[in-house]
Amino acid sequence: MTDPTDAVRDRVLSLTSDELPAYVYDLAALRAHAATVRASLPERVELYYAAKANPEPEILAALGPYVDGYEVASGGELAHVAKAVPGRPLAFGGPGKTPAEIVAALELGVERFHLESEYELHVLAELARQVAPDGRVGVLPRFNLPVTSASLAASALAMGGRPSPFGMDPAQADTVMGLLTDGTYPHLEFKGVHAHLASGLRAPEQLAMAESIVDWAVRLAERHGVRPAEVNVGGGMTVDYAAPDERFDWSVYGVGLAQLLSRHPALTLRIEPGRALTAYCGWYATEVLDVKRSHGEEFAVVRGGTHHLRTPATKGHDQPCTLLRVEGWPHPWARPVARGELVTLTGQLCTPKDVLARNVPASALRAGDRVAFGLAGAYAWNISHHDFLMHPRPGFHFLGAPA
Ligand SMILES: *Cc1c(COP(=O)(O)O)cnc(C)c1O
């Protein structure tokens, strides 16, 4: 369901017009969801949260009891997450790490580096020698593995199995493994392999992908006389914006991972979902400012728009939403009302791309009614172009924080 929880609905209806739009998060719902995810994962599966999905400090903290660590993909995320949830294990990934970012990560004692290229390996090795001469830094080279299954290749955001700037080409694997196992770089410790190949996958596809990554990683390591202690199979668990009730099946996934691990008794698996952890706990709430008809179609212009909630514009979907009717109308002028059954909800930006949801069943929708867009807890505010047109920023409300 993308309907707002009772707490969110009450808050949205209690805000004044000037306090909208607002992002309203239900942290109790987030904790309950994260607990379910955690409970469905077998032993030897570590859960890291990919901070880029939503790095709000309240979200990072609420996830704390249910995750084993956090995946960060920039120096900015690194500093931010280290401050928001101090002392928690971090994995540092992402392409184009700068020397300054690597030094910052080494100084913070980051546990794991996901290496994006052979060049990055050389840089990290030298900086580790300088910054942490007495220690060994855990590394997992990231590989862009061939993607065999057709459904995988078709997935919305496949970033593996085809030319991409992410990770290393499998053709480089033996060179890199050689450098990591032949004593060239004593300050680096080969932990295993990382792969994040696609997003938008359902549990059976994720399992097939995890299996092929593990098999590949084990064979690679064996050729160099070692075993991977761990394999990180990435994130990308689906959130279906068109069918929000069809959530990723964590119990099927957990059972499948347990079977996979039973064939690899010494292996730890790590997953790093972002979207599927936090999308469901956030709503972008606003009110209808104007209703009009244009060439036979009905439009409602809401306060705010895709400069706050870019997700539907980037992904090309209709953001699921719930209409909250408001009876009172405080103004002396007449209240505009939709005459048709279907209404397209747009924002305040002067661009035809500012569409939040098309053809929403919303008969008799009026100015002053409120709308809560669901699935707005991930890749929403933080991916949006806030300053375009200089409208005010939304409010932020975190409900259900522990007392
Ligand atoms: C973005 C990203 C994730 C998280 O992906 P989701 O689709 O949000 O689960 C995990 N790992 C890496 C390397 C990423 O780039």
Side-chain angles (χ1 to χ4, degrees):
M1 292 291 280
T2 54
D3 282 345
T5 59
D6 290 346
V8 170
R9 176 185 295 259
D10 288 349
R11 178 62 61 94
V12 171
L13 290 172
S14 75
L15 296 173
T16 65
S17 293
D18 287 340
E19 290 170 321
L20 294 168
Y23 271 95
V24 187
Y25 299 100
D26 190 327
L27 298 179
L30 174 61
R31 289 193 301 271
H33 176 56
T36 308
V37 171
R38 173 80 267 173
S40 63
L41 297 172
E43 267 183 61
R44 289 193 284 130
V45 175
E46 290 189 357
L47 173 62
Y48 274 44
Y49 171 58
K52 83 168 189 279
N54 185 336
E56 296 290 350
E58 291 85 350
I59 299 274
L60 297 173
L63 287 171
Y66 312 101
V67 300
D68 298 284
Y70 298 82
E71 190 258 358
V72 298
S74 74
E77 284 189 355
L78 175 71
H80 173 83
V81 174
K83 187 162 169 251
V85 282
R88 297 304 306 274
L90 301 179
F92 187 18
K97 299 178 191 73
T98 67
E101 288 176 320
I102 292 173
V103 167
L106 289 166
E107 286 174 349
L108 270 172
V110 162
E111 276 82 0
R112 284 169 183 79
F113 286 76
H114 299 158
L115 291 175
E116 289 275 340
S117 71
E118 187 185 332
Y119 170 69
E120 209 171 74
L121 164 68
H122 299 306
V123 175
L124 175 64
E126 173 56 21
L127 294 174
R129 190 186 67 78
Q130 293 174 17
V131 176
D134 304 323
R136 293 187 84 201
V137 177
V139 299
L140 292 89
R142 175 181 181 179
F143 289 106
N144 177 0
L145 299 183
V147 172
T148 41
S149 113
S151 60
L152 260 186
S155 99
L157 274 178
M159 50 204 92
R162 59 181 181 195
S164 97
F166 304 111
M168 306 185 210
D169 193 283
Q172 275 177 294
D174 286 296
T175 309
V176 166
M177 274 305 293
L179 290 166
L180 284 171
T181 52
D182 68 3
T184 304
Y185 287 137
H187 297 95
L188 303 186
E189 180 186 357
F190 170 73
K191 293 272 191 196
V193 162
H194 175 267
H196 170 75
L197 299 174
S199 78
L201 301 186
R202 294 173 190 284
E205 295 149 6
Q206 277 280 357
L207 282 171
M209 189 175 72
E211 264 171 50
S212 66
I213 295 168
V214 168
D215 288 348
W216 187 90
V218 167
R219 284 201 310 274
L220 169 68
E222 272 172 359
R223 287 203 295 279
H224 295 268
V226 292
R227 275 175 194 281
E230 43 193 72
V231 174
N232 185 324
V233 296
M237 294 72 184
T238 194
V239 168
D240 192 336
Y241 292 85
D245 292 340
E246 290 172 27
R247 293 200 189 188
F248 185 82
D249 194 333
W250 288 99
S251 57
V252 163
Y253 189 55
V255 168
L257 291 183
Q259 285 165 1
L260 174 57
L261 281 168
S262 69
R263 300 198 291 274
H264 301 279
L267 186 69
T268 294
L269 278 179
R270 190 168 306 112
I271 61 173
E272 48 185 27
R275 193 187 303 272
L277 281 180
T278 56
Y280 301 100
C281 80
W283 285 264
Y284 176 66
T286 184
E287 70 166 358
V288 176
L289 291 173
D290 199 352
V291 179
K292 60 172 101 171
R293 218 175 161 79
S294 174
H295 293 269
E297 286 190 25
E298 211 91 42
F299 291 85
V301 179
V302 303
R303 227 181 246 266
T306 54
H307 53 306
H308 295 163
L309 176 64
R310 193 161 172 243
T311 329
T314 1
K315 287 184 71 78
H317 64 226
D318 296 321
Q319 196 71 20
C321 63
T322 303
L323 309 177
L324 304 171
R325 308 274 176 178
V326 172
E327 288 316 318
W329 176 249
H331 305 295
W333 48 81
R335 191 175 186 182
V337 53
R339 287 182 280 143
E341 289 293 313
L342 301 177
V343 181
T344 290
L345 305 179
T346 64
Q348 294 173 286
L349 301 183
C350 309
T351 158
K353 294 190 176 164
D354 192 23
V355 178
L356 293 158
R358 282 176 210 281
N359 297 325
V360 176
S363 63
L365 185 69
R366 300 160 298 185
D369 285 335
R370 298 192 170 182
V371 187
F373 292 93
L375 301 189
Y379 303 103
W381 166 250
N382 66 318
I383 63 158
S384 304
H385 45 305
H386 312 145
D387 292 329
F388 187 42
L389 264 98
M390 301 178 72
H391 287 292
R393 298 204 161 197
F396 287 86
H397 303 262
F398 297 90
L399 311 182

